[in-house]
Structure formats: structure tokens, C-alpha cells
Amino acid sequence: MNRDRYLVKSAGDNIEGTREGLAKFLQLLGQHREGVIVVPHMNQVKDTLLAHVLNDVSPALADTLFRKREHVFSDGSRIQVCSQQTLKNFRRSPLYLVLWGSHYAIDDVEALDRWGAVVFVSWQSIDYQAWLQNHDNVSVIYDDGKPDTHI
């Protein structure tokens, strides 16, 4: 199976990196028709960079996605949002956007068998180094050029 892998090298809370990752995800949604956004934790998702970026794109989309954890567009394409912990319940999506995940999140998505594209927005470089080494087809679509932010 052909899989497309996209990396946004973003250190810490870089809103531009989140914006670039979401833009690529939405572009790929046109091809895949269904996608899942994976965040570290759902309980604080309304206060994250994702919420700010989605509100810039479409406040109605942000509201529906955070309230119902799903948004269906008029053309039938669909976005869902889940936490890394509940990813196991979203195993059949052809497209994933993994936001600020650890290397465990990438490993979890790689282990799924039906996806065709993944966009990974990093928080620290340590989380994507092994991914880059293990897969020669990871396209870096954004690099903020900043050193890691340790929290």
C-alpha cells in the first residue's frame, strides 16, 4: 500500500506549524474524504493552537468539531477528532493529522493498516527522528528552524 507521510518540524507552541499541518490535512481531505485529527488530550482541546487555527479558518467548523467531535462537510467529507488514548477507536480512517504527538503517537498510526496519508506536527525533534530514519518517503512540508522547546 502506498502511504504518504508529511512532517511539520515545529518546536513547541508554534502556531504557524499547526496552521501548515492543518492546511495540508484539509488539502488531503479532498482526496481521502475522511480524516481524523489526533491530539494529546481531548479535555483541553478548546484551549490549544488547533482551536485558534480552526477559528481563523471557520468558527462554525471549530464549534461543531469540538462540540460533537466530528464535522461533516456539505460534500460528504468528514473530520473527526480524538485523543492519542482513544485512537484505537478510529482505526479505519484513510487520513490522519497527528498534532504535537510523541513518537508513540506516530508508532500507533503507523501500526494502523488502512491509512493512506498522515501529517505529523511535532513538538520536539526527538519525536520524529526515528520516523525519518525508518521511512524514506517522509516529506518535510514546514520547518520553523527553531531548537526544541523543553517543557
Side-chain angles (χ1 to χ4, degrees), residues 63-83:
D63 179 59
T64 304
L65 190 59
F66 295 137
R67 205 169 15 88
K68 297 182 178 179
R69 298 193 177 166
E70 175 180 60
H71 181 83
V72 179
F73 294 93
S74 59
D75 68 356
S77 59
R78 177 173 74 153
I79 297 174
Q80 295 176 294
V81 64
C82 74
S83 69

Side-chain angles (χ1 to χ4, degrees), residues 80-94:
Q80 295 176 294
V81 64
C82 74
S83 69
Q84 183 178 337
Q85 185 177 10
T86 60
L87 177 61
K88 62 187 173 285
N89 299 325
F90 298 85
R91 303 181 57 82
R92 301 195 189 289
S93 182

Side-chain angles (χ1 to χ4, degrees), residues 30-58:
Q31 173 187 348
H32 294 281
R33 312 276 303 144
E34 185 176 326
V36 175
I37 300 173
V38 183
V39 296
H41 304 283
M42 284 300 299
N43 59 344
Q44 299 170 350
V45 75
K46 289 182 182 179
D47 299 319
T48 65
L49 295 174
L50 175 61
H52 295 291
V53 172
L54 277 175
N55 275 312
D56 289 346
V57 171
S58 168

Side-chain angles (χ1 to χ4, degrees), residues 69-124:
R69 298 193 177 166
E70 175 180 60
H71 181 83
V72 179
F73 294 93
S74 59
D75 68 356
S77 59
R78 177 173 74 153
I79 297 174
Q80 295 176 294
V81 64
C82 74
S83 69
Q84 183 178 337
Q85 185 177 10
T86 60
L87 177 61
K88 62 187 173 285
N89 299 325
F90 298 85
R91 303 181 57 82
R92 301 195 189 289
S93 182
L95 172 64
Y96 291 91
L97 169 61
V98 181
L99 292 173
W100 327 298
S102 68
H103 64 281
Y104 298 112
I106 275 295
D107 291 345
D108 288 348
V109 171
E110 283 287 343
L112 301 176
D113 59 356
R114 297 197 179 177
W115 62 270
V118 62
V119 179
F120 180 71
V121 177
S122 68
W123 189 265
Q124 297 181 83

